[in-house]
Amino acid sequence: MDAAEFRRRGKEMVDYVADYLEKIEERPVYPDLEPGYLRDLIPTEAPCEPESFEDLMQDVERVIMPGITHWHSPNFFAYFPAASSYPAMLADMLCGAIGCIGFSWSTASEATLMSLLAARCKAVRRVQAVESERSESDVLSKLVAYTSDQAHSSVERAALIGAVMMRKVPTDEHFAVREEMLKKMVEEDKAAGLIPFYFCATLGTTPSCAFDHITKLGPLCNKENMWMHIDAAYAGSAFICPEFRPLLNGIEYADSFNFNPHKWLLINFDCSTMWVKKRTDIIGHWQIPLGRRFRSLKMWFVFRLYGLKGLQAHIRKQVALAKEFESLVQADNRFEICAEVILGLVCFRLKGSNELNQNLLKRITKSREIHLVPCQLSGRFVLRFAICARTTESRHIQRAWRHITQLAFELLQEQPH
């Protein structure tokens, strides 16, 4: 492909992408195919001779699209948002063309690991400064980290990779960590000869978007020489709105902070930001790979072309849609809300057994009209309704609720009385 063909095909690709996104609502949000379906649709070997761009694009629709879960469909309400915008797509194109390699950007999972490794090194140096006879291996064997029992699995994975013990702190009735419980565990561990060194707090947990009480947890961590890392992967984007900034109170006690603009700030995956209080603490642990793509270019494009007001409007709109869905659930006495709705996530369920709600989700998934995923809250099987797509409007919320209630009605009719 030379420059002339690239110009022509590039315009065609832009048209294809624009058509795809404008008509994405017409596609089933969730594929009705089994893993491995591609095996019968593609050759066992790569072609010996070049093939045409037209044939390739035909196979995108024939081979690729049938197996896609359309994350940017307004009927997608699973997980958390995967941000997308036209400015970010243009920036991604330019990013690929420039092709420079950056050296300091992490994903949220890497940010947790990097902060833990930095905290581990800092703790070893601190102990050995007082007890020079202690070996590094001895100190490492005594280190203990903490996180919420609602924290993302990547936090526990960071401890496994970092070869340190990690304890999960039980949460309160709002699924948040309070100072009293962490303090109790720290005191128990210190009495047992262990060395508390790290706490990963979460602002906006994955299951229910709960917020740990960092205004109280922060001073405790500072007093105990424990590194406090804050994982705000999803909720961090909301802090650009003044009305949500109080959720960030206590940030001054943190040693590091991370959020993912690629979740909710209209920047395509992947783009994750990390701050550290003292650069010298983490300079040897910026990230796992040496090189990174020019992700900040995407942020620059989106910030310039949307402006702060445009980004705030996006956040506020999606929070309002979540509140709209919450009100629909509350108006139906067959259902219940299972966690406070703070941002763009609603946790709800049918009143009844876990099995009943598991069956409801199976029917929702099988229908392929909308896509949801579950979580476990206090031993209960709960459905998560997250406002994800940039194009989701009130009519999608209303239609999704009608679909859910229709399936729930059919399911309840089948139950023995």
Side-chain angles (χ1 to χ4, degrees):
M1 184 180 289
D2 57 17
E5 185 179 3
F6 176 73
R7 291 177 193 274
R8 186 168 77 255
R9 300 307 188 189
K11 291 171 184 175
E12 291 174 6
M13 182 60 80
V14 168
D15 284 341
Y16 177 85
V17 170
D19 288 343
Y20 164 72
L21 291 173
E22 282 189 332
K23 300 174 182 176
I24 193 171
E25 190 176 340
E26 300 172 10
R27 298 176 183 261
V29 66
Y30 193 73
D32 186 24
L33 293 168
E34 295 295 324
Y37 83 95
L38 278 173
R39 187 169 286 111
D40 296 328
L41 297 179
I42 58 176
T44 57
E45 297 178 355
C48 292
E49 300 294 333
E51 297 183 349
S52 71
F53 187 78
E54 287 82 4
D55 287 345
L56 174 61
M57 291 306 296
Q58 285 177 11
D59 278 354
V60 169
E61 284 295 333
R62 182 182 69 89
V63 176
I64 304 301
M65 285 299 181
I68 294 294
T69 297
H70 298 281
W71 281 64
H72 301 294
S73 168
N75 299 316
F76 184 95
F77 302 103
Y79 309 105
F80 276 131
S84 173
S85 67
Y86 294 118
M89 293 177 211
L90 292 175
D92 238 351
M93 183 184 295
L94 180 58
C95 175
I98 295 172
C100 69
I101 305 300
F103 294 102
S104 62
W105 287 74
S106 305
T107 64
S109 300
E110 280 184 36
T112 303
L113 175 59
M114 296 304 102
S115 65
L116 183 138
L117 293 177
R120 188 183 72 171
C121 289
K122 189 175 183 178
V124 169
R125 289 196 300 268
R126 185 178 68 248
V127 173
Q128 288 185 324
V130 178
E131 304 174 57
S132 57
E133 73 285 354
R134 291 188 73 170
S135 66
E136 181 176 342
S137 60
D138 178 52
V139 177
L140 289 174
S141 69
K142 302 295 184 184
L143 293 180
V144 57
Y146 306 87
T147 194
S148 164
D149 62 13
Q150 299 292 306
H152 192 268
S153 60
S154 61
V155 180
E156 190 173 11
R157 194 179 311 126
L160 291 171
I161 296 171
V164 295
M165 183 191 324
M166 177 166 279
R167 297 189 64 191
K168 292 189 175 182
V169 185
T171 50
D172 63 15
E173 68 278 11
H174 301 293
F175 311 107
V177 173
R178 289 189 174 276
E179 176 203 10
E180 309 88 81
M181 184 53 71
L182 178 60
K183 183 178 181 181
K184 178 175 180 289
M185 294 175 70
V186 167
E187 289 175 349
E188 290 173 353
D189 289 338
K190 286 169 64 178
L194 299 176
I195 305 170
F197 81 104
Y198 178 87
F199 172 63
C200 180
T202 305
L203 298 181
T205 59
T206 299
S208 66
C209 198
F211 290 75
D212 291 338
H213 300 276
I214 59 173
T215 54
K216 299 291 186 180
L217 292 162
L220 172 63
C221 290
N222 289 178
K223 176 186 174 185
E224 297 291 344
N225 282 317
M226 293 166 56
W227 183 297
M228 185 169 78
H229 174 67
I230 294 178
D231 175 6
Y234 163 65
S237 297
F239 302 147
I240 67 170
C241 299
E243 64 268 32
F244 298 125
R245 284 300 292 271
L247 295 170
L248 193 58
N249 288 349
I251 185 66
E252 63 272 19
Y253 300 111
D255 294 279
S256 53
F257 173 86
N258 169 260
F259 88 101
N260 286 345
H262 68 234
K263 277 194 169 66
W264 211 12
L265 212 55
L266 297 176
I267 297 167
N268 299 0
F269 185 86
D270 61 337
C271 183
S272 188
T273 59
M274 182 180 182
W275 286 264
V276 291
K277 181 171 285 186
K278 292 179 65 178
R279 185 174 184 270
T280 53
D281 286 340
I282 205 168
I283 199 165
H285 303 281
W286 279 123
Q287 59 187 38
I288 296 172
L290 178 63
R292 281 287 181 185
R293 296 175 67 228
F294 190 6
R295 292 175 178 82
S296 56
L297 186 66
K298 294 188 287 187
M299 297 184 70
W300 189 61
F301 264 58
V302 171
F303 290 176
R304 293 285 300 275
L305 295 177
Y306 272 89
L308 177 60
K309 289 183 178 179
L311 294 171
Q312 289 174 332
H314 169 67
I315 298 292
R316 288 167 177 152
K317 173 187 171 183
Q318 296 215 325
V319 172
L321 290 173
K323 289 293 185 181
E324 179 180 347
F325 185 80
E326 178 191 25
S327 68
L328 293 171
V329 176
Q330 290 174 328
D332 191 321
N333 60 16
R334 297 171 299 175
F335 289 87
E336 59 183 331
I337 296 292
C338 303
E340 183 181 2
V341 178
I342 300 175
L343 296 177
L345 174 67
V346 182
C347 293
F348 73 106
R349 72 196 301 270
L350 271 172
K351 294 175 181 176
S353 67
N354 283 348
E355 182 181 7
L356 182 68
N357 283 278
Q358 288 167 351
N359 288 334
L360 175 58
L361 182 59
K362 286 177 183 177
R363 293 184 181 213
I364 291 171
T365 302
K366 187 176 181 180
S367 74
R368 299 165 61 221
E369 291 289 325
I370 61 173
H371 189 40
L372 307 181
V373 291
C375 68
Q376 291 279 341
L377 294 176
S378 300
R380 298 196 301 170
F381 187 90
V382 172
L383 281 64
R384 295 171 74 261
F385 190 94
I387 310 301
C388 293
R390 173 176 49 85
T391 54
T392 302
E393 302 287 350
S394 175
R395 63 186 175 88
H396 300 109
I397 303 303
Q398 297 290 333
R399 187 173 66 192
W401 180 243
R402 287 195 299 270
H403 183 63
I404 292 168
T405 53
Q406 177 61 37
L407 293 177
F409 174 77
E410 294 170 1
L411 178 61
L412 291 170
Q413 287 292 103
E414 297 171 8
Q415 301 303 302
H417 296 289

